[in-house]
Amino acid sequence: MTERPVIGIFGAGKVGTALARLLVDAGYRVLMSGSPRQTALELLVGVVAPGAEVVAPDVLAAEARIIIVAVPFGKAGTVPWPAFDGRIVVDAMNYWPPVDGNIAEVDDDPRTTSEQNAARNPRARVVKSLNHLGYHEMEDDSLPAGDPLRRALAVVGDDGEARTEVAALIDAIGFDPVDGGALAHGVALEPGHPAFGRELSAAELAALLTPIAHLAA
């Protein structure tokens, strides 16, 4: 059996801790960093995500092969993107103007939010995923492989090998991965677009990730 990669999660909120529980249960070593002081964060994680390890951001960036960024979108700039050279980075964030306020540089940029985040470090291998379902659905909707009711989650990114590795992680935590191709296709996963928040099969989700589908959205 191939050894599972170490997973790092930036953000110990509801999304980050739900993912940590799923990943630990699936047999992954999970490292976490967040905004509270480390001692307080260790207490929190020990209660809500037992088995995950709280580490300093530089340790997480050095030791994790796949890094999930699950902080509020407005705090994306606090994440140490320059330390992510060569790492697979999963952008699980969503830009919510009602929460984040309208950010002019985001609104005026024709790129998807994940393409904008990828530009923070072009040497990181950015994949968009895990953003288009709610934290409460992550554990409730997780099902074994082959279950006909299994929910699909998309994986989009410009690095095919990175997409494959994230797809394997998604399968391991109980969802059917759908390869959506280039990072630009992630627009379909953003709030207000076709795939966001919907319970879809792999075939249904794949249909929404075609360029024609999101150009028409």
Side-chain angles (χ1 to χ4, degrees):
M1 181 176 176
T2 305
E3 186 178 350
R4 294 192 186 279
V6 176
I7 309 300
I9 302 175
F10 274 96
K14 292 175 179 176
V15 171
T17 53
L19 286 171
R21 289 191 293 270
L22 285 169
L23 288 160
V24 168
D25 287 348
Y28 289 89
R29 182 183 177 213
V30 178
L31 310 179
M32 299 191 77
S33 289
S35 54
R37 289 179 299 105
Q38 184 157 338
T39 303
L41 190 59
E42 286 171 349
L43 291 171
L44 170 68
V45 169
V47 172
V48 300
E53 305 168 41
V54 175
V55 298
D58 59 335
V59 174
L60 187 154
E63 295 191 12
R65 176 170 175 79
I66 300 176
I67 296 169
I68 301 170
V69 180
V71 301
F73 184 86
K75 294 185 177 179
T78 67
V79 174
W81 297 91
F84 295 166
D85 286 11
R87 295 293 187 267
I88 296 170
V89 180
V90 181
D91 179 2
M93 297 178 287
N94 286 305
Y95 171 43
W96 289 95
V99 173
D100 302 308
N102 282 95
I103 304 172
E105 56 266 35
V106 175
D107 293 335
D108 296 340
D109 195 318
R111 298 173 298 176
T112 65
T113 54
S114 289
E115 288 176 294
Q116 294 174 44
N117 282 323
R120 296 176 185 272
N121 183 350
R123 294 171 299 283
R125 304 161 71 191
V126 174
V127 170
K128 182 72 168 180
S129 192
L130 299 170
N131 70 298
H132 56 106
L133 78 167
Y135 69 87
H136 55 288
E137 299 169 311
M138 290 178 174
E139 290 167 292
D140 291 348
D141 290 359
S142 174
L143 290 169
D147 191 300
L149 297 179
R150 210 179 197 212
R151 183 171 178 171
L153 292 181
V155 178
V156 299
D158 295 334
D159 183 315
E161 182 183 317
R163 294 199 308 270
T164 297
E165 291 200 36
V166 175
L169 182 151
I170 285 172
D171 182 49
I173 64 172
F175 297 88
D176 281 341
V178 174
D179 189 329
L183 195 58
H185 295 178
V187 65
L189 311 178
E190 294 180 357
H193 289 270
F196 185 79
R198 295 178 62 188
E199 294 184 30
L200 301 166
S201 69
E204 291 167 335
L205 181 54
L208 291 179
L209 286 165
T210 62
I212 291 174
H214 57 71
L215 284 174

